[in-house]
mmCIF file of all heavy atoms in Angstrom:
data_model
loop_
_atom_site.group_PDB
_atom_site.id
_atom_site.type_symbol
_atom_site.label_atom_id
_atom_site.label_comp_id
_atom_site.label_asym_id
_atom_site.label_seq_id
_atom_site.Cartn_x
_atom_site.Cartn_y
_atom_site.Cartn_z
ATOM 1 N N GLY A 310 -2.307 23.330 43.270
ATOM 2 C CA GLY A 310 -2.036 21.927 43.575
ATOM 3 C C GLY A 310 -3.256 21.138 43.995
ATOM 4 O O GLY A 310 -3.139 20.005 44.452
ATOM 5 N N GLY A 311 -4.449 21.718 43.826
ATOM 6 C CA GLY A 311 -5.677 21.002 44.176
ATOM 7 C C GLY A 311 -6.573 21.834 45.069
ATOM 8 O O GLY A 311 -6.196 22.922 45.532
ATOM 9 N N ILE A 312 -7.775 21.335 45.300
ATOM 10 C CA ILE A 312 -8.761 22.086 46.078
ATOM 11 C C ILE A 312 -8.293 22.286 47.516
ATOM 12 O O ILE A 312 -8.349 23.398 48.062
ATOM 13 C CB ILE A 312 -10.122 21.367 46.048
ATOM 14 C CG1 ILE A 312 -10.667 21.324 44.612
ATOM 15 C CG2 ILE A 312 -11.122 22.069 46.968
ATOM 16 C CD1 ILE A 312 -11.919 20.489 44.449
ATOM 17 N N GLU A 313 -7.842 21.217 48.166
ATOM 18 C CA GLU A 313 -7.406 21.341 49.556
ATOM 19 C C GLU A 313 -6.256 22.322 49.693
ATOM 20 O O GLU A 313 -6.233 23.150 50.624
ATOM 21 C CB GLU A 313 -7.008 19.975 50.107
ATOM 22 C CG GLU A 313 -6.626 20.001 51.574
ATOM 23 C CD GLU A 313 -6.357 18.634 52.157
ATOM 24 O OE1 GLU A 313 -6.559 17.628 51.429
ATOM 25 O OE2 GLU A 313 -5.940 18.557 53.336
ATOM 26 N N ALA A 314 -5.311 22.253 48.758
ATOM 27 C CA ALA A 314 -4.176 23.176 48.805
ATOM 28 C C ALA A 314 -4.638 24.610 48.597
ATOM 29 O O ALA A 314 -4.113 25.543 49.230
ATOM 30 C CB ALA A 314 -3.144 22.793 47.740
ATOM 31 N N ALA A 315 -5.632 24.812 47.733
ATOM 32 C CA ALA A 315 -6.158 26.164 47.493
ATOM 33 C C ALA A 315 -6.862 26.703 48.736
ATOM 34 O O ALA A 315 -6.783 27.897 49.036
ATOM 35 C CB ALA A 315 -7.105 26.139 46.302
ATOM 36 N N VAL A 316 -7.550 25.822 49.457
ATOM 37 C CA VAL A 316 -8.197 26.245 50.704
ATOM 38 C C VAL A 316 -7.131 26.590 51.747
ATOM 39 O O VAL A 316 -7.202 27.632 52.425
ATOM 40 C CB VAL A 316 -9.134 25.145 51.228
ATOM 41 C CG1 VAL A 316 -9.611 25.470 52.641
ATOM 42 C CG2 VAL A 316 -10.327 24.969 50.290
ATOM 43 N N ASP A 317 -6.137 25.752 51.886
ATOM 44 C CA ASP A 317 -5.074 25.987 52.866
ATOM 45 C C ASP A 317 -4.325 27.288 52.580
ATOM 46 O O ASP A 317 -3.872 27.965 53.509
ATOM 47 C CB ASP A 317 -4.094 24.818 52.867
ATOM 48 C CG ASP A 317 -4.702 23.532 53.416
ATOM 49 O OD1 ASP A 317 -5.745 23.627 54.100
ATOM 50 O OD2 ASP A 317 -4.152 22.457 53.151
ATOM 51 N N ALA A 318 -4.214 27.625 51.292
ATOM 52 C CA ALA A 318 -3.487 28.845 50.908
ATOM 53 C C ALA A 318 -4.362 30.090 50.974
ATOM 54 O O ALA A 318 -3.874 31.196 50.726
ATOM 55 C CB ALA A 318 -2.925 28.683 49.497
ATOM 56 N N GLY A 319 -5.642 29.927 51.295
ATOM 57 C CA GLY A 319 -6.535 31.071 51.366
ATOM 58 C C GLY A 319 -7.056 31.533 50.024
ATOM 59 O O GLY A 319 -7.723 32.578 49.942
ATOM 60 N N ILE A 320 -6.795 30.784 48.974
ATOM 61 C CA ILE A 320 -7.292 31.159 47.652
ATOM 62 C C ILE A 320 -8.801 30.960 47.573
ATOM 63 O O ILE A 320 -9.529 31.771 47.003
ATOM 64 C CB ILE A 320 -6.577 30.328 46.564
ATOM 65 C CG1 ILE A 320 -5.080 30.610 46.589
ATOM 66 C CG2 ILE A 320 -7.168 30.597 45.179
ATOM 67 C CD1 ILE A 320 -4.260 29.661 45.717
ATOM 68 N N VAL A 321 -9.281 29.869 48.152
ATOM 69 C CA VAL A 321 -10.718 29.566 48.221
ATOM 70 C C VAL A 321 -11.142 29.680 49.677
ATOM 71 O O VAL A 321 -10.549 29.037 50.546
ATOM 72 C CB VAL A 321 -11.010 28.148 47.688
ATOM 73 C CG1 VAL A 321 -12.485 27.802 47.874
ATOM 74 C CG2 VAL A 321 -10.622 28.029 46.222
#
Side-chain angles (χ1 to χ4, degrees):
I312 296 173
E313 184 175 355
V316 170
D317 292 342
I320 298 170
V321 175

